[in-house]
């Protein structure tokens, strides 16, 4: 209790420190009311001009100085454009976000409006600010809804989506979007959306654009720039639903890959063999760690089936395929972990219930599931570029976050991201009644009780939202309610396109909505429906408000809290209750024994529930165990990724220096920056190879300075890209190899760091050596005399006239391995493995918005 009170005291102290700022903002309300729109925009321009030329520390102090006036200005602009005035608690949250912390605001407290305050203030630096959302709908909805506020104050707002990008333009009427707030989004090139003062977009699009930019062959094709046109644009970001993005989604990295030519038939063979094996005899399953391994008996049985003496020596690849097939068959369930849609295995997000069509399980697991389901087994892939979400978001100079549930993960936020969590009080008192959990012996008894409770609540007209953990269980409840004649809506990964329409009416009188976890984020349920009917709203409140039922406790407490948080928004009445059984996954693996013995002691029947505070506490303790278990796993993943992040930083910086030479394609003269990059590269080459200043000068004079720098760029970038791609594969193999050293009592991470550093040193040496070899090959051409001079002049004219440097093999790339993939082979994936074939009329995976045949699919 002492620790809890200590945390509350710390939180209150932080709030007490910033409350005087809110009072100061309120005093400036009359000042803001007295300004015309022109005066407001002039004030914005004045602040932007004043910040120019200031150092980072000076700019930071200046923003803190003008914060009260800036926030007062945003509040007045919101009143005039949206007829919404920020509450004082939203001002508190806005200050917390500006300080680079996580603001925990309960559902319905207006996070979208809150974000306008720090976004406007930090956009005044001219460096560009990003609002990161979990999906495209929330990005375009947020930018479209808040766009009038930013425009009124003289700032531009852009949106990046999976295949397209937009700028908010009040004069533009877009009939394409059903969302009323998105009708003023004008389609625009991606770079223009980034060069707006404020850019909304999803976590994966920001990350993928960073990776794609570091694969470009022309600096003009780089999109992630800020309003000043500077490369990078990682100044300030606010992450919406920060626990989902920085913790749940961050379990898997962002990866761009290309198809690897590996046979897929062996996955089918492995699947057939697995079907004949016996659990707990030929193989063992560990549900806690989600692994499945062959026993000694199982290995001998497989060896007899395959006709080999020693499987590990004669066919080690089959061992890997067998283990993935075992995992697919024993631990991954259809309609829970994935669905089969249009002949493809599509992953279901365990935290939101949404489909993830662009994701694939890694290391051949996805192929193993495809073989299990009898659909087309796609080829594995080779990684071209990757980054973890943790290391992408840690690139931002300042990072902040918003969510309704963050305190349970406060330790992880601080240890991984150095982010503090501050809980913001609600604008109106929370009156929702959170009832004790009830626990049953069996899942069947539990679901019967859930259906009975829904019927009782429905009789009095109380709206009910039911949260399930899988498509399968939502369908089961659907059948139970249908038999009882209860009219209801069902929302899961199979009909997620209707999400916004279904959830909008979930607060209507007598409404029953059965949903997977997807209903947990980004949507407010308004009592009386949307738009609300005053009479019906009062009837719903009289019936007790929205009643939320959880049919199972999730591994993480905050997911349960997100579901509960759908009810009781802005002081509305409401209630919640969780139904649990000893057969639920959480109880079965992490904590059901204590409850089972308790129920057996009292001689309780299957359909007799146990309800007490003890039950809820025991379940919460089980959840804490799981949260700690997963935190340790994610922490280890970040520590491993930190090793390759150092490598990535060095390689990408080297690449960007060389890429800067492509600025000369427009015919301009080398700038001081280009000159500086040239001098730096010459020094590095001289340190690592036999290059001399005389050689460089000779090449520069022979081709002309601009043409030589462009030729150097043309021969260097493929060397870097090819070697980096091989290094990623090498490091993946090293990670698996060093993991085995734990059996010899050696630290996995230490071994990986040490060997990884040695391999990286060799990589850098190899890159410089191969670039030097290519330079010598080009030099051999000019040494042939007048003929070479003519070739040089022709090459110079060709280079200066050409457009973007492409991935296609050029005249100077003779001898480059076929693995130096053309752009047309690149597939964008969030988890590596074989990508689906792209149709000629499908959107191009690169995100340009063009059809594949008109972009990277050109023959």
């Amino acid at each position: 209790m002492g620790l809890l009170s200590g945390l509350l005291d710390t939180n209150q102290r932080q709030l007490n420190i910033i409350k005087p700022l809110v009072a100061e903002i309120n005093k400036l309300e009359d000042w803001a009311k007295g300004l015309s729109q022109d005066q407001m925009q002039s004030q914005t321009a004045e602040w932007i001009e004043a910040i120019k030329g200031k150092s980072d520390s000076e700019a930071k102090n200046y923003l803190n100085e003008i914060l009260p006036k800036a926030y007062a200005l945003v509040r007045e602009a919101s009143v005039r454009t949206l007829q919404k005035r920020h509450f004082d608690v939203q001002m508190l949250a806005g200050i917390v976000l500006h300080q680079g912390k996580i603001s925990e605001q309960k559902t319905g407290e207006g996070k979208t409006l809150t974000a306008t305050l720090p976004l406007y203030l930090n956009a005044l630096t001219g460096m560009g600010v990003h609002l990161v959302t979990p999906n495209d709908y929330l990005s375009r909805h947020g930018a479209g809804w808040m766009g009038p506020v930013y425009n009124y104050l003289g700032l531009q707002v852009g949106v990046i989506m999976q295949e397209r990008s937009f700028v908010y333009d009040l004069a533009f009427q877009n009939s394409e979007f059903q969302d009323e707030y998105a009708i003023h989004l004008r389609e625009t090139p991606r770079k223009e959306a980034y060069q707006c003062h404020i850019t909304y977009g999803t976590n994966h699009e920001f990350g993928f654009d960073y990776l794609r930019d570091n694969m470009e062959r022309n600096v003009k094709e780089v999109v992630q720039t800020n309003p000043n046109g500077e490369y990078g644009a990682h100044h300030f970001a606010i992450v919406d639903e920060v626990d989902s993005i920085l913790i749940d989604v961050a379990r898997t990295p962002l990866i761009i890959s290309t198809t690897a030519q590996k046979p897929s038939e062996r996955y089918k063979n492995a699947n057939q063999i697995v079907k004949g094996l016996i659990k707990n005899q030929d193989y063992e399953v560990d549900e806690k760690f989600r692994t499945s391994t062959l026993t000694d008996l199982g290995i001998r049985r497989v060896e007899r089936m395959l006709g080999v003496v020693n499987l590990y020596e004669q066919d080690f690849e089959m061992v890997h395929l067998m283990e993935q097939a075992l995992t697919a068959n024993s631990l991954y369930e259809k309609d829970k972990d994935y669905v089969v849609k249009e002949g493809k295995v599509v992953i279901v997000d365990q935290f939101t219930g949404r489909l993830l069509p662009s994701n694939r399980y890694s290391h051949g697991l996805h192929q193993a599931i495809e073989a299990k389901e009898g659909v087309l087994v796609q080829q594995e892939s080779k990684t071209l570029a990757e980054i973890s979400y943790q290391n992408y978001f840690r690139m931002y100079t300042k990072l902040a976050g918003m969510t309704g549930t963050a305190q349970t993960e406060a330790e992880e936020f601080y240890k991984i991201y150095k982010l503090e969590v501050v809980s913001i009080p609600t604008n109106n008192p929370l009156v929702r009644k959170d009832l004790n959990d009830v626990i049953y012996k069996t899942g069947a008894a539990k679901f019967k009780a859930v259906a009975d409770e829904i019927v009782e609540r429905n009789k009095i007209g109380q709206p009910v939202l039911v949260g399930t953990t899988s498509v399968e269980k939502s369908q089961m409840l659907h059948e139970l309610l249908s038999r009882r004649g209860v009219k209801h809506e069902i929302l899961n990964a199979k009909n997620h396109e209707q999400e916004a329409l279904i959830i909008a009416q979930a607060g209507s009188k007598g409404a029953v909505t059965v949903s997977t976890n997807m209903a947990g984020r980004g949507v407010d349920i308004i009592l009386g429906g949307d738009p609300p009917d005053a009479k019906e709203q009062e009837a719903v409140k009289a019936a007790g408000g929205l009643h939320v039922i959880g049919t199972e406790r999730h591994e993480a407490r905050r997911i349960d809290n997100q579901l509960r948080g759908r009810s009781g928004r802005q002081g509305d009445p409401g209630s919640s209750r969780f139904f649990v059984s000893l057969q639920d996954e959480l109880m079965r693996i992490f904590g059901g024994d204590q409850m089972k013995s308790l129920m057996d002691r009292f001689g309780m029947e299957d359909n007799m529930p146990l309800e007490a505070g003890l039950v809820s506490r025991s379940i919460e303790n089980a959840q804490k165990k799981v949260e700690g278990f997963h935190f340790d796993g994610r922490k280890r993943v970040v520590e491993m990724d930190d090793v390759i992040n150092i490598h990535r930083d060095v390689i990408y910086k080297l690449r960007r220096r060389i890429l800067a030479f492509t600025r000369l394609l427009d015919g301009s003269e080398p700038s001081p920056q280009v000159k500086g990059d040239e001098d730096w590269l010459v020094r590095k080459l001289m340190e690592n190879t036999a290059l001399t200043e005389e050689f460089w000068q000779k090449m520069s004079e022979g081709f002309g300075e601009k043409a030589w720098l462009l030729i150097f760029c043309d021969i260097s970038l493929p060397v870097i890209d090819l070697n980096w791609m091989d290094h990623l594969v090498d490091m993946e193999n090293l990670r698996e190899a060093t993991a085995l050293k734990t059996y010899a009592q050696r630290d996995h991470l230490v071994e990986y760091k040490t060997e990884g550093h040695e391999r990286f040193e060799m990589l850098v040496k190899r890159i410089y050596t191969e670039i030097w070899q290519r330079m010598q090959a080009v030099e051999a051409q000019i040494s042939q005399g007048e003929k070479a001079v003519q070739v040089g002049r022709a090459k110079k004219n060709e280079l200066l006239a050409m457009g973007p440097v492409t991935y296609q093999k050029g005249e100077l790339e003779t001898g480059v391995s076929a693995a130096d993939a053309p752009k047309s082979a690149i597939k964008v994936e969030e988890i590596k493995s074989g990508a689906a074939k792209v149709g000629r009329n499908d959107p191009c995976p690169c995100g340009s918005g063009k059809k594949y045949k008109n972009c990277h699919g050109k023959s």
Side-chain angles (χ1 to χ4, degrees):
M1 189 67 189
L3 177 61
L4 179 60
S5 61
L7 289 172
L8 293 173
D9 288 346
T10 302
N11 192 82
Q12 191 57 50
R13 277 199 300 271
Q14 293 194 68
L15 292 175
N16 290 341
I17 290 169
I18 59 179
K19 277 180 179 177
L21 270 177
V22 177
E24 195 175 338
I25 294 165
N26 289 338
K27 287 178 185 176
L28 291 164
E29 190 159 12
D30 288 339
W31 165 78
K33 286 180 182 292
L35 298 178
S36 66
Q37 182 180 1
D38 287 344
Q39 288 173 319
M40 286 186 172
Q41 293 190 356
S42 295
Q43 180 65 82
T44 298
E46 182 184 320
W47 282 332
I48 290 173
E49 192 61 35
I51 292 175
K52 284 181 182 175
K54 290 185 184 296
S55 67
D56 290 344
S57 60
E58 288 172 337
K60 180 181 177 181
N61 290 336
Y62 187 75
L63 290 183
N64 291 336
E65 182 186 321
I66 65 172
L67 183 149
K69 278 192 170 184
Y71 279 26
L73 218 57
V74 174
R75 177 153 67 185
E76 180 58 26
S78 174
V79 170
R80 294 182 192 182
T81 56
L82 308 178
Q83 291 74 55
K84 288 186 176 292
R85 181 185 179 277
H86 296 74
F87 301 126
D88 284 1
V89 290
Q90 288 174 307
M91 288 292 175
L92 282 174
I95 295 167
V96 166
L97 292 171
H98 169 66
Q99 292 174 341
K101 298 174 183 176
I102 292 174
S103 158
E104 185 184 68
Q105 293 170 271
K106 300 302 179 189
T107 301
E109 291 296 302
K111 292 190 290 290
T112 308
L113 187 62
T114 297
T116 57
L117 301 162
L119 286 175
Y120 170 78
L121 179 62
N122 286 270
L124 298 174
T125 61
M127 300 292 288
V129 296
H130 298 163
L131 191 287
V132 187
T133 72
N135 58 60
D136 281 345
Y137 168 77
L138 292 177
S139 293
R140 73 169 188 255
H141 179 85
W145 187 13
M146 297 299 127
V149 178
Y150 303 124
N151 277 191
Y152 195 87
L153 294 169
L155 298 184
Q156 273 195 313
V157 58
V159 189
I160 56 165
M161 291 167 57
Q162 187 171 356
E163 296 170 2
R164 306 164 72 183
S165 47
F166 303 86
V167 167
Y168 183 82
D169 184 349
L170 196 58
F172 185 76
Q173 291 287 326
N174 192 333
S175 59
E176 182 179 350
F177 295 122
Q178 291 182 348
D179 182 357
E180 61 176 307
Y181 296 116
I183 60 171
H184 296 300
L185 296 184
R186 170 174 54 83
E187 191 156 9
T188 187
R190 210 166 185 82
K191 182 180 283 191
E192 187 180 333
Y194 271 112
Q195 288 182 335
C196 290
H197 298 93
I198 298 161
T199 306
Y200 283 68
T202 62
N203 48 305
H204 54 270
E205 287 307 304
F206 282 120
F208 276 138
D209 283 340
Y210 169 74
L211 291 177
R212 283 190 287 254
D213 281 351
N214 283 286
M215 295 172 65
E216 289 294 351
R217 298 290 175 86
N218 187 326
V219 75
K220 289 184 178 178
E221 300 301 309
V222 171
V223 299
Q224 208 167 63
T225 57
N226 61 32
N228 296 331
E230 295 168 349
Y231 188 52
H234 297 108
H235 171 58
F236 173 55
I238 297 175
V239 182
D240 190 12
E241 304 299 353
V242 66
D243 56 323
S244 172
I245 291 173
L246 295 192
I247 292 180
D248 300 335
V249 177
R251 290 182 180 187
T252 55
L254 288 159
I255 293 178
I256 295 180
S257 60
T258 185
T259 302
Q261 300 301 316
K262 287 188 179 180
S264 57
E265 285 300 315
R266 303 205 76 195
Y267 286 101
K268 297 177 183 176
N269 298 339
N271 188 66
Q272 286 301 316
I273 293 171
V274 162
K275 297 288 188 187
L277 300 182
I278 303 169
K279 185 178 178 181
N280 297 329
Q281 182 176 316
D282 297 321
Y283 66 94
E284 294 176 344
V285 177
D286 188 328
E287 292 186 89
K288 186 175 179 180
F289 288 91
R290 294 206 73 154
T291 58
S292 187
T293 53
L294 289 167
T295 62
D296 290 341
L297 181 64
I299 291 168
R300 288 197 293 275
R301 187 189 295 272
V302 172
E303 285 172 343
R304 287 196 298 272
M305 289 180 180
L306 294 174
V308 298
V309 178
N310 189 319
L311 183 63
Y312 281 82
E313 287 184 3
Q314 294 175 260
D315 195 351
F316 188 76
E317 183 188 38
M318 181 54 82
V319 177
H320 170 70
L321 296 178
M322 290 291 302
E323 290 184 345
Q324 295 294 48
L326 284 170
T327 301
N329 280 273
S330 60
L331 287 164
Y332 284 77
E333 297 178 31
K334 183 179 177 182
D335 287 343
K336 177 186 175 186
D337 300 293
Y338 63 89
V339 298
V340 177
K341 189 174 183 180
E342 297 175 357
K344 294 178 183 177
V345 171
V346 183
I347 298 172
V348 175
D349 187 331
Q350 295 304 296
F351 298 95
T352 66
R354 293 185 175 90
L355 294 180
L356 303 173
S358 64
N359 287 30
R360 291 179 64 80
Y361 293 118
S362 61
H363 300 101
L365 176 59
H366 209 96
Q367 285 79 359
I369 295 172
E370 288 169 334
K372 166 191 169 184
E373 294 297 337
V375 301
L376 178 67
V377 179
Q378 298 179 23
Q379 291 177 325
E380 286 195 49
S381 56
K382 188 171 183 179
T383 302
L384 299 178
E386 68 172 316
I387 191 169
S388 68
Y389 279 107
Q390 288 91 339
N391 277 317
Y392 174 73
F393 283 109
R394 289 194 297 193
M395 286 193 299
Y396 282 89
T397 306
K398 183 164 69 173
L399 185 65
M402 307 184 295
T403 183
T405 48
Q407 281 293 358
T408 57
E409 311 294 342
E411 180 187 3
E412 181 164 355
F413 281 125
Y414 190 76
K415 285 188 175 178
I416 303 295
Y417 302 100
K418 294 293 182 279
L419 286 170
E420 293 181 54
V421 177
V422 180
S423 294
I424 307 298
T426 56
N427 186 50
N428 293 309
L430 182 66
V431 296
R432 184 185 67 236
K433 297 175 183 175
D434 294 327
L435 307 173
N436 284 330
D437 295 7
V438 286
I439 187 167
Y440 290 82
K441 271 192 173 182
T442 67
K446 175 187 73 174
F447 274 102
K448 179 181 180 300
V450 168
D452 290 343
E453 170 131 342
I454 293 170
V455 170
E456 291 305 309
R457 301 275 179 172
N458 186 247
K459 282 179 181 176
I460 61 172
Q462 186 174 13
V464 180
L465 173 67
V466 188
T468 65
T469 57
S470 69
V471 174
E472 179 188 23
K473 286 172 181 172
S474 65
Q475 293 292 144
M476 182 193 306
L477 197 52
H478 163 64
E479 290 173 12
L480 286 172
L481 293 175
S482 297
R483 287 186 207 139
R484 285 166 168 77
V486 177
K487 184 180 177 183
H488 61 281
E489 293 284 353
I490 187 164
L491 175 60
N492 58 37
K494 291 188 172 181
N495 69 335
H496 64 103
E497 295 89 353
Q498 302 168 42
E499 176 180 358
L501 294 174
I502 293 174
I503 290 298
Q505 303 308 324
S508 301
K509 185 179 178 181
V512 176
T513 310
V514 178
S515 172
T516 52
N517 293 326
M518 66 167 59
R521 295 187 184 271
V523 182
D524 280 345
I525 297 176
I526 301 170
L527 299 187
D530 188 15
D533 175 270
K535 193 173 179 181
E536 188 169 315
Q537 197 168 51
E538 287 306 312
V540 169
K541 287 181 178 180
L546 179 67
H547 182 59
V548 171
I549 295 176
T551 58
E552 194 169 322
R553 282 286 202 157
H554 199 276
E555 287 182 348
R557 287 169 291 166
R558 59 196 161 78
I559 306 299
D560 294 341
N561 292 338
Q562 279 282 347
L563 180 60
R564 272 201 171 113
R566 298 302 98 198
S567 175
R569 61 183 294 280
Q570 285 293 326
D572 285 342
S575 54
S576 71
R577 186 194 292 277
F578 278 83
F579 289 74
V580 184
S581 89
L582 294 178
Q583 294 177 338
D584 292 349
E585 193 169 304
L586 176 73
M587 299 300 292
R588 186 166 46 80
I589 301 172
F590 287 96
D593 293 343
Q594 183 183 356
M595 287 296 103
K596 187 174 188 303
S597 62
L598 193 65
M599 295 182 87
D600 289 341
R601 193 183 311 158
F602 287 104
M604 300 179 73
E605 302 295 330
D606 287 358
N607 60 352
M608 187 185 298
L610 180 64
E611 177 185 354
L614 172 65
V615 174
S616 298
R617 285 194 298 274
S618 297
I619 293 171
E620 192 165 309
N621 287 334
Q623 288 176 307
K624 286 177 183 177
K625 286 182 190 175
V626 185
E627 288 166 1
F629 174 74
H630 286 315
F631 171 42
D632 290 340
R634 285 191 297 267
K635 187 170 178 286
R636 196 68 170 175
V637 168
V638 173
E639 289 171 341
M640 301 294 280
D641 190 62
D642 283 344
V643 177
I644 205 164
N645 195 52
I646 296 170
H647 304 176
R648 183 189 299 111
D649 188 55
V650 172
I651 294 299
Y652 281 3
K653 281 180 179 175
L654 168 64
R655 202 183 185 283
R656 284 198 291 271
R657 285 181 182 270
I658 296 173
L659 190 68
F661 297 157
T662 60
R663 296 184 189 277
L664 304 176
L665 284 168
D666 61 7
S668 62
E669 294 300 317
S671 65
Q673 182 185 344
V674 170
K675 286 280 191 182
D677 288 335
E678 180 184 356
D679 292 343
W680 183 88
L681 284 162
V682 171
R683 285 199 308 275
K684 284 292 182 183
L685 283 162
M686 289 172 64
E687 289 170 9
N688 290 277
T689 68
L691 175 72
T692 63
E693 286 189 20
E694 290 74 21
F695 182 94
W696 185 273
Q697 191 64 29
K698 175 185 174 183
M699 301 298 282
S700 186
E701 291 174 356
F703 284 104
E705 184 181 16
K706 286 192 288 186
W708 168 239
L709 289 176
L710 290 167
I711 292 171
F712 179 78
C713 181
D714 200 31
I715 64 177
S716 301
L717 292 180
V719 171
I720 295 171
D721 293 345
L722 177 58
N723 278 283
W724 177 241
M725 181 170 63
D726 289 342
H727 182 67
L728 290 175
V729 175
D730 190 33
M731 290 297 288
E732 177 64 34
N733 294 335
L734 176 64
R735 187 156 51 226
E736 293 178 5
T738 51
L740 298 174
K741 295 189 178 183
T742 56
Y743 293 107
Q745 304 302 309
R746 293 163 75 176
D747 189 280
H748 180 195
L749 180 60
V750 171
E751 294 290 324
Y752 181 65
K753 276 183 179 178
T754 303
E755 292 192 39
H757 180 65
E758 291 171 359
R759 295 188 187 203
F760 181 65
E761 286 185 333
M762 289 190 288
L763 167 72
V764 173
K765 186 72 176 175
R766 187 164 61 249
I767 285 173
Y768 283 122
T769 300
E770 290 184 17
I771 291 174
W772 168 233
Q773 289 170 348
R774 289 192 177 199
M775 290 167 65
Q776 289 176 299
V778 175
E779 191 264 347
Q781 296 180 26
I782 19 181
S783 64
Q784 295 176 11
E786 182 59 26
K787 179 181 177 183
V789 173
Q790 292 172 1
V791 170
R793 285 175 181 157
K795 186 69 183 175
K796 171 185 173 181
N797 293 333
E798 176 192 337
L799 284 164
L800 290 175
M802 74 180 181
V805 183
T806 69
Y807 278 74
Q808 305 301 325
K809 291 185 181 296
E811 183 182 337
L812 298 178
E813 294 183 336
T814 306
V816 179
S817 164
D820 188 12
K823 269 195 177 180
S824 58
I826 293 174
K827 307 292 187 294
V828 179
E829 303 177 341
E830 290 187 30
I831 304 178
K832 65 181 175 181
S833 273
K837 181 176 175 60
V838 182
R840 285 176 52 74
N841 290 310
D842 290 343
C844 187
C846 77
S848 65
K850 299 178 183 177
K851 289 184 178 179
Y852 180 61
K853 66 183 180 182
N854 296 326
C855 192
H856 291 115
K858 289 181 179 179
S859 57

